[in-house]
């Protein structure tokens, strides 16, 4: 069943890619696009790929910060494998829902209990949501005019994305540090959903909520025992997001353009990412390209914006989709061959140290 879902996700992704390519080529001839792409400076393109490797590496470093505190000795190589697998499965599943389960699966193959893998992913998710929200707030304070570049449709998506991000961030922090309040609110929501027939198995929903509260409670305890851990995670996540958002800026320089600075391009990409990240599309394909063309026309001009989106998305998504697929295959093959390589640091493995 999981393999079928993966293949369905890949087929849906390919279908959306074909439609997206057709729409973009309708606006500009292939000859014009290829002529513009030949202008690109290869050094900057390699710098963009380096930024994406930094993006994946930062998440791996976050995992390497967390797992030892749960009693597991880790190698950076293993953590990189988990992160590349997460990138791949996030890219082929709607709203990136497949990434975290895949990482937990491969951690379990290395001897890390699923509960501890889930706790690791939860801390990563909290760090990501908090940092992304803080990032966008800073951009809006410094350059509120950038929102207008998205247009009405994507401006509405930005508001929706911000609302979802805030709800998730507040909800996760409540679950971690105010579990009683979170439990009461979540219990009320479950009761409401049962009444309107959106939840049919109330007992199963409440059991899942109980398990989630336990996991978030363990995460809060881990952070309280290691107060600097969360700051390290936030710092690494800030670098991670900056690397991702800087790809259009690198492409801008690859075309030899210099009129606008890093703040404008990085800030615009940060807003666009938040606007499309919660859409139920594999890799946000289609929405990301359409939003890029609308938001970045000011910077690249009408003649270069389509080649620019091909270069930027080629670096930040399509190339790393292929790279992550290859690495995920290697991780999968190795996980079936090797014995458990990650061993507890102490007899109390799993307790936050």
């Amino acid at each position: 069943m999981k393999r079928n879902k993966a293949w369905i996700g890949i087929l849906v992704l390919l279908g959306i890619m074909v439609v997206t390519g057709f729409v973009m080529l309708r606006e500009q001839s292939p000859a014009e696009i290829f002529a513009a792409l030949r202008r690109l400076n290869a050094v900057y393109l390699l710098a963009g790929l380096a930024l994406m490797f930094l993006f994946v590496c930062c998440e791996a470093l976050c995992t390497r910060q967390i797992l030892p505190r749960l009693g597991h000795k880790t190698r950076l190589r293993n953590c990189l494998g988990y992160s590349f697998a997460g990138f791949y499965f996030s890219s082929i599943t709607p709203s990136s829902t497949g990434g975290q389960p895949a990482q937990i699966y491969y951690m379990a193959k290395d001897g890390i209990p699923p509960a501890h893998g889930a706790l690791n992913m939860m801390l990563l998710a909290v760090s990501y949501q908090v940092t992304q929200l803080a990032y966008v707030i800073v951009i809006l304070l410094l350059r509120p005019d950038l929102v207008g570049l998205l247009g009405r449709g994507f401006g509405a998506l930005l508001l929706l994305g911000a609302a979802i991000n805030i709800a998730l961030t507040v909800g996760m922090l409540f679950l971690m540090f105010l579990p009683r309040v979170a439990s009461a609110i979540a219990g009320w929501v479950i009761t409401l959903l049962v009444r309107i027939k959106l939840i049919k198995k109330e007992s199963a929903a409440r059991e899942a909520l109980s398990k989630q509260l336990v996991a978030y409670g363990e995460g809060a305890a881990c952070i309280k025992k290691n107060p600097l851990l969360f700051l390290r995670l936030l710092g690494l996540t800030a670098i991670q997001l900056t690397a991702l958002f800087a790809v259009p800026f690198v492409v801008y320089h690859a075309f030899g353009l210099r009129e606008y600075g890093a703040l404008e391009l990085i800030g615009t990409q940060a807003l666009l990412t938040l606007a499309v990240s919660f859409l139920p599309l594999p890799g946000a394909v289609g929405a990301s390209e359409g939003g890029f063309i609308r938001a970045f026309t000011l910077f690249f001009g009408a003649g270069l914006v389509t080649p620019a989106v091909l270069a930027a998305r080629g670096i930040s998504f399509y190339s790393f989709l292929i790279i992550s697929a290859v690495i995920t295959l290697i991780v999968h093959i190795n996980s079936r061959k090797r014995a458990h390589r990650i061993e507890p640091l102490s007899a109390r493995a799993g307790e936050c140290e």
Side-chain angles (χ1 to χ4, degrees), residues 146-187:
L146 294 179
V147 177
L149 298 179
L150 299 177
R152 290 185 179 180
F154 279 91
L157 285 177
L158 176 62
L159 290 176
L160 177 61
I164 294 174
N165 184 289
I166 291 171
L168 288 174
T169 302
V170 172
M172 288 187 289
L173 293 176
F174 264 60
L175 285 168
M176 290 178 67
F177 299 107
L178 295 172
R180 291 184 180 179
V181 176
S183 178
I185 295 174

Side-chain angles (χ1 to χ4, degrees), residues 116-269:
H116 305 160
L119 179 56
N120 174 80
M121 299 314 302
M122 183 209 71
L123 290 174
L124 291 183
V126 172
S127 302
Y128 192 94
Q129 296 297 339
V130 170
T131 306
Q132 185 180 45
L133 182 60
Y135 211 113
V136 170
I137 289 174
V138 171
I139 294 299
L140 291 176
L141 290 175
L142 295 176
R143 292 297 304 270
D145 57 301
L146 294 179
V147 177
L149 298 179
L150 299 177
R152 290 185 179 180
F154 279 91
L157 285 177
L158 176 62
L159 290 176
L160 177 61
I164 294 174
N165 184 289
I166 291 171
L168 288 174
T169 302
V170 172
M172 288 187 289
L173 293 176
F174 264 60
L175 285 168
M176 290 178 67
F177 299 107
L178 295 172
R180 291 184 180 179
V181 176
S183 178
I185 295 174
W188 177 82
V189 171
I190 289 175
T191 300
L192 176 62
L193 294 177
V194 169
R195 288 181 178 177
I196 61 177
K197 308 298 184 182
L198 289 179
I199 290 181
K200 296 181 179 180
K201 297 181 180 180
E202 182 177 0
S203 59
R206 294 193 181 278
E207 182 180 353
L209 172 63
S210 178
K211 291 180 180 180
Q212 199 70 22
L213 287 171
V214 171
Y216 276 94
E218 291 175 352
C222 191
I223 290 175
K224 288 176 181 178
K225 288 184 179 180
N226 300 273
L228 294 179
L229 172 62
F230 196 50
L231 292 178
R232 292 194 191 100
L233 296 180
L234 291 177
L236 286 168
T237 307
I239 296 172
Q240 179 188 21
L241 288 176
T242 301
L244 176 65
F245 299 154
V247 170
F249 177 68
V250 171
V251 172
Y252 184 74
H253 277 259
F255 277 112
L257 304 173
R258 299 291 186 272
E259 182 179 355
Y260 294 95
L263 178 61
E264 289 88 353
L265 284 107
I266 292 175
T268 301
Q269 183 59 55

